[in-house]
Amino acid sequence: MSDRFRVVIVGGGVAGMAIATRLGNSLGRSGKLDITLVDKGFSHVWKPMLHCFAAGTAKNENDRITFISHAAAHGFRFCYGEVAGIDRANKRLKLAPLEEEDHEVLLDERYLDYNVLIFAIGSRANDFGTPGVVENCIFLDNIVEANNFNERFRHAVIQAYGRGTPLDIAIVGGGATGVQLAAELHKALDIGSLYNFTPVTPEMRVTLLEAGPRILPAFPENVSAAAQKQLEALKIKVLTSTMVSGADEHGFMLKDGSRVDAQFRVWAAGVKAPDVTRQMDGLECGRGGQFLVRPNLQTTLDDNIFAVGDCAFISDNPLAPTAQVARQQAHHLARYLPGFIFNQKPVPDFKFRNRGAIVALGDYNGWGAFADGKTFGGGFMHGLSARLGHMALYRQHQFELYGPVRGMIACFTDWLDGFVRPPVRMD
C-alpha cells in the first residue's frame, strides 16, 4: 500500500474529472499525492450533451474520454466500481461487488483507504415517488441510459418508416434537458429523412409536459416564451401547468384525469442525488439526498470528506445543479486542497460567479441569458450566437481535460469526421 497521502474521488463527471486531472497534473505525476478516481462506468462524457447522444445527433465514440487512458496520461489511477458505503472512523471506502448480467460475481466487495474523500457523484432525475415512473419511463442521467434510448429510438423509427405509422414520444420536464431533447429528436428525424429510407417520412408526435407555468424556468420569461413558440413551430406540443399523477406502459396519467399516450416515455423532471448518499455512515443529507456541506465544500460532520457539484447542498447559499456550478467548485477545491493537505490550511469558502446560461434547440434556435437578466440569441440567423456559445462551452471542457494540443486535435478530428460519417447515428 502506498505511504503517500491518499485522495479518493468518487464520480467521473464534470467535477470529478476536473479535480482528478488538475491534482494529477500538479501533484500526482510528481508522486506527492496518491490520487484515485472511482466510477461505475469506463468513460466520461459532458452531461449537457446527453440529449444529443440520445437522439443520435452526436457521436459519443468521439466525445467520450476513457478513464483508464486519461488517468495514465494525467498522474492518477482509475478504479472501476460503484460506491456502497464508507467507514469514517477507519477512513475506508466500500465498493459494491461487481456482477455480470447473469449475476455471476466477478469481484467481491472491495475497500479503498483514503485520507481525503471527495464525492462528485452528480444527480438523477427525481420521480417524486410518482407511481409507475421507474418501471415505465426512460431516464437520461448517464451515457448508458442515453445509448439505450438511442438504440430503442432508432428501432422505433425503422418500424415507423416500414409501417407508415406515427411515432409518439412524451417527455416530462420542461427544463433544459427536456426542451433540448424534444428539439434534438426532431432534428434527428429531419436529417434521417434526407437519406431517402422510404418515400414518406413518418410523423413524429412529441409532447412536452411541464408542471410549472412555463418551460425553462431558470431563464427569463422572454426566453421561455420564445422557446415554446419555436417548439410549437416544430409541431411539438407543449403542455404547461400539467401535473403527472402516474405512468404505465402506454403513457402518462394526468392529475386532471386525462392521459397522454406515448410509445416512448421520458422522465426529465426534478433533481435528486443518487440514493447511495444516505448510506454514507451518517453524513447529513438534505431533502433531495444531497450531502449537506459547509460553504467551503466540507461535509458538515467530517472535515476529511468533501462534496461538489449536484450531490452537494450548501444550506446557507443553495446553488442550481448545473455543470457551471460543478466546474467552478471543482476548480476551487483543486486549488486549495493542496494547502489543506500539506499545510493544514483551511479551505476557504466557495464563491459562485454566475456566467449565465445557454440553451440550444438543435439547429433551429438558441438563447443565452447573462447573470443580469439580459438575453441574446434567437431571431438573427436562428440563434446562431447562442448555439455557437453552447458548443464553445463543450470545447472549453475538452481543452481543460486534454490540454491545448490534444484539445485542438480533438476539434480537428470531429471536423474531419463530419465529412465521412452521416450527421445522425444510423446504425
Side-chain angles (χ1 to χ4, degrees):
M1 183 181 296
S2 172
D3 294 328
R4 292 177 293 169
F5 194 98
R6 295 179 294 273
V7 176
V8 175
I9 304 160
V10 183
V14 169
M17 274 287 269
I19 296 171
T21 302
R22 290 191 167 213
L23 290 180
N25 287 339
S26 60
L27 297 169
R29 284 174 170 171
S30 62
K32 294 180 180 179
L33 282 183
D34 184 343
I35 304 161
T36 302
L37 176 69
V38 179
D39 198 274
K40 61 182 180 180
F42 283 103
S43 57
H44 162 86
V45 297
W46 195 49
K47 192 172 180 179
M49 284 191 69
L50 284 178
H51 64 281
C52 298
F53 300 141
T57 53
K59 310 168 190 67
N60 64 69
E61 293 82 1
N62 294 348
D63 293 302
R64 60 186 175 185
I65 300 171
T66 303
F67 288 129
I68 294 173
S69 61
H70 191 77
H74 294 276
F76 64 93
R77 293 184 297 159
F78 170 66
C79 178
Y80 176 62
E82 185 171 5
V83 63
I86 54 175
D87 177 354
R88 293 198 289 125
N90 295 303
K91 294 185 178 180
R92 303 189 81 194
L93 178 75
K94 181 170 74 172
L95 300 181
L98 182 61
E99 298 180 348
E100 287 191 309
E101 291 183 3
D102 60 1
H103 301 295
E104 180 183 350
V105 177
L106 296 178
L107 289 174
D108 293 324
E109 196 171 79
R110 294 163 291 155
Y111 294 87
L112 289 175
D113 294 319
Y114 67 86
N115 298 108
V116 162
L117 178 62
I118 303 169
F119 282 107
I121 55 178
S123 63
R124 292 190 59 82
N126 192 347
D127 64 358
F128 304 105
T130 308
V133 168
V134 172
E135 299 83 359
N136 297 291
C137 294
I138 301 169
F139 292 78
L140 296 179
D141 293 312
N142 54 58
I143 187 61
V144 174
E145 292 174 345
N147 282 341
N148 288 341
F149 176 91
N150 179 256
E151 183 175 6
R152 292 177 59 182
F153 175 67
R154 286 184 288 113
H155 291 170
V157 168
I158 291 171
Q159 287 182 325
Y161 267 110
R163 298 172 180 173
T165 55
L167 176 60
D168 289 306
I169 301 172
I171 303 168
V172 177
T177 298
V179 168
Q180 293 181 138
L181 176 63
E184 209 69 29
L185 291 172
H186 195 282
K187 172 184 172 182
L189 198 63
D190 273 355
I191 295 173
S193 67
L194 300 177
Y195 287 88
N196 296 323
F197 189 61
T198 64
V200 180
T201 301
E203 179 185 8
M204 184 170 66
R205 301 183 297 213
V206 180
T207 303
L208 182 67
L209 301 95
E210 166 58 37
R214 61 187 179 95
I215 62 172
L216 299 176
F219 286 78
E221 288 191 24
N222 64 316
V223 171
S224 297
Q228 180 166 340
K229 184 178 180 180
Q230 178 65 66
L231 291 177
E232 290 171 344
L234 297 173
K235 297 183 179 180
I236 295 170
K237 188 176 183 179
V238 180
L239 301 177
T240 55
S241 301
T242 302
M243 294 288 294
V244 173
S245 60
D248 58 28
E249 61 183 357
H250 301 296
F252 292 107
M253 293 82 79
L254 307 184
K255 194 173 182 180
D256 64 6
S258 61
R259 288 183 57 91
V260 174
D261 290 327
Q263 181 180 352
F264 278 82
R265 301 160 300 281
V266 182
W267 191 274
V271 174
K272 69 173 184 177
D275 294 338
V276 74
T277 58
R278 300 190 185 277
Q279 303 170 24
M280 295 298 138
D281 198 6
L283 291 178
E284 289 187 300
C285 295
R287 286 184 59 189
Q290 294 98 333
F291 293 112
L292 295 185
V293 298
R294 304 167 196 163
N296 69 349
L297 306 177
Q298 282 176 314
T299 54
T300 54
L301 299 181
D302 197 317
D303 290 351
N304 295 305
I305 300 179
F306 296 79
V308 295
D310 294 2
C311 71
F313 185 82
I314 305 172
S315 301
D316 296 338
N317 183 28
L319 297 170
T322 65
Q324 179 184 188
V325 171
R327 175 176 172 270
Q328 289 188 28
Q329 288 181 341
H331 292 181
H332 178 84
L333 204 53
R335 178 180 179 183
Y336 292 106
L337 199 58
F340 173 81
I341 292 171
F342 297 115
N343 302 311
Q344 292 72 54
K345 290 183 179 179
V347 175
D349 290 352
F350 168 73
K351 292 183 176 139
F352 175 59
R353 293 171 177 80
N354 190 349
R355 308 296 188 192
I358 293 176
V359 60
L361 305 189
D363 291 336
Y364 307 109
N365 221 324
W367 298 267
F370 294 111
D372 60 5
K374 294 181 180 178
T375 62
F376 64 92
F380 176 69
M381 293 186 70
H382 302 291
L384 178 62
S385 58
R387 289 186 285 113
L388 289 177
H390 192 271
M391 181 54 66
L393 290 176
Y394 172 57
R395 295 304 182 190
Q396 178 189 44
H397 178 67
Q398 280 188 314
F399 272 66
E400 285 184 354
L401 296 182
Y402 281 138
V405 175
R406 291 189 66 198
M408 286 296 295
I409 293 173
C411 291
F412 183 65
T413 301
D414 286 348
W415 179 73
L416 281 180
D417 198 54
F419 288 97
V420 296
R421 293 180 184 268
V424 65
R425 186 173 179 181
M426 308 292 288
D427 56 6

